Amino acid sequence: MPTHDDKIHRDRRHGPQLSQSARPATFEVATRDEHGNAGTAAIAGEHPLTVYVDKREILTLMTLGAAPEALVIGYLRNQRLVDSIEDLVAVQVDWEVNAASVYTRNGLVNLEEKMAHRTKTTGCGSGTVFGDLMADIDAIHLPAADDSVQLTQSTLYALAELVRKHETIYKQAGAVHGCALFSTQPELLYFVEDVGRHNAVDAIAGMMWLDGVDGSDKIFYTTGRLTSEMVIKAAQMGVPFLVSRSGLTQMGYEIAKQVGMTMIGRAVNKHFLLFNDPGRFVFDASASKDE
């Protein structure tokens, strides 16, 4: 299930009206082990959710269903279809028909043009990006490297330990990716799991918008690989630090360099590789060779 720090919530009475329609994250099913013994096991949920905006069908997302309203809002944000949270009047999810109905004040931004150009991405579950994949990247300027926006090595280790200890659907059932947003203390602000990592990052983007959370001093963590889509979405959220326990792609690396993002991959326990850093990362700890 998604988690968040209640201290960062703003008053949502001025945001869109939201349903509260989370689905159960796991389901118990019958199994037999290698010895033929009967038992049960938890498996991750997966549900189709068709998104309608002002009664027009946009696409169908395959999702765990743990944070569907935030997922839809974050998707519209990261696709650059909505300029601000104030543009949204309501987001209502109805699992009886597997649909999310979004109502806006003034319609979507350049919808016809963007729907005419779709890019199938490397995201788990066959992600889709509307419009030019590289559009608006030149306009993104992440915070410059200075003493006020830094990530220390000891903070990175503490972050990895928080992730390791966090109760997750993956530990129960596998088959999901997780994403998290941290402050540089570090403090876990949001943790979301879904069947695709692009869904998890979109859900966090939606939560940030709903809560008015600024990304300029935050750290984004993902269990999945750092592809171009993940880097672009984190950059659009204004987050300067992107950390993964997995690896990265060449395009993800090149875009991170272009926008000035600190990128860290293969971060497990006290191991990591710093792939790109414009001067924000501080080495202040040492790792044991035995870890």
Side-chain angles (χ1 to χ4, degrees):
M1 295 295 289
T3 60
H4 58 270
D5 188 329
D6 289 335
K7 290 183 291 185
I8 65 176
H9 276 298
R10 65 176 176 86
D11 187 347
R12 289 185 175 175
R13 287 178 296 178
H14 302 295
Q17 295 179 356
L18 303 177
S19 57
Q20 301 293 329
S21 301
R23 295 296 304 268
T26 60
F27 297 83
E28 292 290 324
V29 297
T31 63
R32 285 187 179 274
D33 65 16
E34 65 274 17
H35 304 293
N37 298 319
T40 62
I43 61 172
E46 183 179 16
H47 313 280
L49 183 64
T50 301
V51 180
Y52 297 86
V53 179
D54 298 325
K55 299 184 178 181
R56 174 168 181 174
E57 182 177 338
I58 303 299
L59 85 164
T60 297
L61 300 167
M62 299 303 299
T63 176
L64 192 69
E69 294 85 5
L71 167 60
V72 170
I73 292 171
Y75 185 86
L76 296 175
R77 174 187 183 178
N78 283 336
Q79 297 293 329
R80 305 178 306 281
L81 294 174
V82 177
D83 289 331
S84 124
I85 191 67
E86 285 73 23
D87 292 336
L88 299 177
V89 176
V91 179
Q92 303 293 317
V93 173
D94 183 350
W95 287 113
E96 289 190 5
V97 292
N98 294 326
S101 298
V102 180
Y103 301 95
T104 70
R105 299 189 191 283
N106 301 302
L108 297 186
V109 179
N110 299 325
L111 179 59
E112 296 297 337
E113 178 183 344
K114 290 182 177 180
M115 288 191 70
H117 185 183
R118 301 188 186 192
T119 301
K120 193 171 184 179
T121 72
T122 55
C124 303
S126 299
T128 298
V129 171
F130 291 108
D132 184 354
L133 182 64
M134 301 300 293
D136 299 332
I137 287 297
D138 291 339
I140 295 176
H141 302 288
L142 293 176
D146 59 37
D147 291 342
S148 65
V149 184
Q150 290 185 333
L151 173 60
T152 66
Q153 185 176 5
S154 56
T155 295
L156 179 64
Y157 292 162
L159 180 156
E161 183 67 6
L162 286 172
V163 171
R164 187 185 70 81
K165 291 180 177 178
H166 194 73
E167 289 299 322
T168 66
I169 299 165
Y170 181 83
K171 292 178 182 178
Q172 301 175 48
V176 297
H177 276 296
C179 290
L181 189 74
F182 288 88
S183 69
T184 52
Q185 273 67 43
E187 180 182 19
L188 177 60
L189 303 179
Y190 302 110
F191 189 96
V192 175
E193 293 175 286
D194 212 318
V195 291
R197 65 185 184 276
H198 55 282
N199 280 0
V201 67
D202 284 344
I204 288 181
M207 292 174 180
M208 290 173 68
W209 238 10
L210 286 165
D211 294 330
V213 172
D214 177 58
S216 62
D217 59 349
K218 303 299 188 296
I219 307 159
F220 195 90
Y221 172 89
T222 177
T223 59
R225 61 193 182 275
L226 302 178
T227 64
S228 57
E229 181 185 15
M230 291 296 290
V231 175
I232 290 170
K233 288 183 175 184
Q236 288 174 335
M237 293 152 61
V239 178
F241 303 105
L242 186 56
V243 180
S244 173
R245 73 180 185 194
S246 187
L248 66 157
T249 67
Q250 180 183 8
M251 183 173 283
Y253 173 75
E254 294 296 335
I255 295 173
K257 288 183 63 177
Q258 180 178 340
V259 301
M261 178 179 287
T262 300
M263 175 184 276
I264 298 170
R266 302 181 186 178
V268 179
N269 297 324
K270 292 189 176 181
H271 300 284
F272 67 91
L273 292 175
L274 182 63
F275 285 98
N276 184 62
D277 178 50
R280 300 189 195 92
F281 191 81
V282 178
F283 287 89
D284 69 342
S286 60
S288 168
K289 291 182 180 180
D290 296 329
E291 295 191 68

